[in-house]
Amino acid sequence: MTKYTLKRIGYMMIVLVILSFIMFMIYSLVPANRAYTDAKAEVQAMKNTIPKGQMNQYFDDLYLKYQRMYGTDTENKVVRYLRWVGLAPLYDGSYNGLLQGNLGWSYEKKLPVLDVIKAPMLNTIKINIIATILALGITLPLGIHCAVKRGSKSDQIVQVFTIVGYSLPNFLIAILFIWIFCSKLGWFPPSGMQTPGSHYVGMRKFLDELYYLALPLITMTFCSLGGMTRYVRASMIEALSMDCIKTARAKGLRERAVIYSHAWRNALIPIVTLVVGWFLGIFAGSLVIEEMFALNGMGRLMISSLRAADYDVVLLMQMFYVFMSLVGTLVIDIIYGLVDPRVRVNK
């Protein structure tokens, strides 16, 4: 297992380097010149103090200064990439890239990228962890029940609701829930993450945030029920039809032991992929839900950064998503070996 894990980490690093290079090259093709924009803005701010005859020379000096600062004083894209990573020196011999902790600068927020991402990331993790735990707490036992009671009235009722929930788009469910719980019943606020103008602390702040996040959490949980419930049901039905399950019943084992000790273990293999993917998705955010309820999360930040051409933020976020996807595939493979001893990940 250790040898396999180290080998996979080596492969992950190679893939990460290749994908980072591709993404950097793609964003290098975008018609945006940070050095030119900053130099032009500084010249415009000081145009009343610079003689007209020296304006062009002053701009050229500023433009070169910013090019050197950003590592774009060369047309060689490979050198620019290595400078961005922190493997190649700038014009003065210094290193100032990702490996040195320079994760970029947000020109929209006028802050380091890490400071821009920190709050949305925490909000996204908080919201998605709660929604994922609630969804799994409902869908796993519900799917198992429907598989065991296949064809019963309760199974048929659940299947109807899951098909409806699976078919409806998330934004339509969000609109419907806002209409019901906000407009008609008045139970929850329609948007935001806290009471406007409030400065609560401690438990009062927590309860206020929980009140505002209740409806988004209900919506996200409901949107997740249909697909996962049907997936668990299908996996359990397939597991219950295996010969080993029939043998276990023939030996006189209790039905509870047959379902949870034998059938559930065999059904876990396809379910693990989806469950781990859910937990890794907590870092990505939900664009539709965050837009509908005006939540400050990663999905909303990604769209706003793309609209504002804030490419340092976008590039770092996508690098993070690539890294999480690679880690996710490794975690899934390792869990396969833990869940089912027949799977040998070291071969």
Side-chain angles (χ1 to χ4, degrees), residues 47-103:
K47 63 180 181 180
N48 294 329
T49 61
I50 304 173
K52 291 184 178 180
Q54 301 178 11
M55 187 75 71
N56 291 335
Q57 182 61 42
Y58 187 73
F59 171 78
D60 292 339
D61 293 341
L62 279 177
Y63 184 40
L64 179 61
K65 168 191 169 184
Y66 282 113
Q67 279 186 312
R68 290 176 172 176
M69 183 186 302
Y70 302 142
T72 58
D73 54 321
T74 176
E75 295 298 325
N76 191 324
K77 294 295 198 318
V78 176
V79 174
R80 289 189 183 186
Y81 167 76
L82 293 175
R83 286 177 172 177
W84 173 66
V85 175
L87 295 175
L90 299 175
Y91 80 101
D92 59 353
S94 62
Y95 292 82
N96 189 25
L98 296 178
L99 297 178
Q100 287 75 41
N102 180 16
L103 303 182

Side-chain angles (χ1 to χ4, degrees), residues 101-252:
N102 180 16
L103 303 182
W105 178 266
S106 171
Y107 283 82
E108 182 187 14
K109 306 292 185 181
K110 306 300 180 185
L111 291 170
V113 172
L114 190 60
D115 293 340
V116 173
I117 292 178
K118 189 181 301 182
M121 175 70 78
L122 292 176
N123 292 333
T124 291
I125 292 175
K126 177 170 57 179
I127 296 168
N128 282 273
I129 279 184
I130 298 175
T132 300
I133 292 175
L134 289 175
L136 290 177
I138 297 172
T139 56
L140 293 182
L142 189 61
I144 294 173
H145 171 79
C146 291
V148 174
K149 303 293 183 180
R150 181 183 181 185
S152 64
K153 288 186 178 180
S154 61
D155 178 42
Q156 294 174 2
I157 293 173
V158 171
Q159 291 310 300
V160 170
F161 279 102
T162 54
I163 290 174
V164 173
Y166 186 74
S167 303
L168 291 176
N170 291 356
F171 74 89
L172 190 58
I173 295 176
I175 293 173
L176 180 63
F177 279 18
I178 290 174
W179 177 68
I180 294 173
F181 294 105
C182 300
S183 300
K184 293 298 181 181
L185 300 177
W187 289 357
F188 304 110
S191 62
M193 296 188 65
Q194 62 181 16
T195 303
S198 65
H199 300 284
Y200 300 130
V201 295
M203 182 57 67
R204 187 69 182 88
K205 179 181 179 181
F206 172 76
L207 293 176
D208 184 61
E209 289 183 355
L210 189 62
Y211 173 63
Y212 272 81
L213 293 178
L215 187 56
L217 288 173
I218 293 172
T219 306
M220 293 177 68
T221 303
F222 184 84
C223 292
S224 305
L225 295 182
M228 189 62 176
T229 301
R230 295 180 66 83
Y231 202 85
V232 173
R233 177 181 179 272
S235 297
M236 278 295 295
I237 288 175
E238 183 179 356
L240 288 170
S241 64
M242 298 175 67
D243 292 337
C244 62
I245 303 301
K246 298 177 183 178
T247 303
R249 283 173 170 162
K251 288 181 177 179

Side-chain angles (χ1 to χ4, degrees), residues 313-337:
V313 177
V314 176
L315 188 55
L316 184 66
M317 290 176 66
Q318 291 188 342
M319 283 287 296
F320 177 74
Y321 295 152
V322 168
F323 175 76
M324 292 304 302
S325 299
L326 294 173
V327 171
T329 57
L330 176 61
V331 171
I332 289 172
D333 288 344
I334 294 176
I335 290 179
Y336 280 164

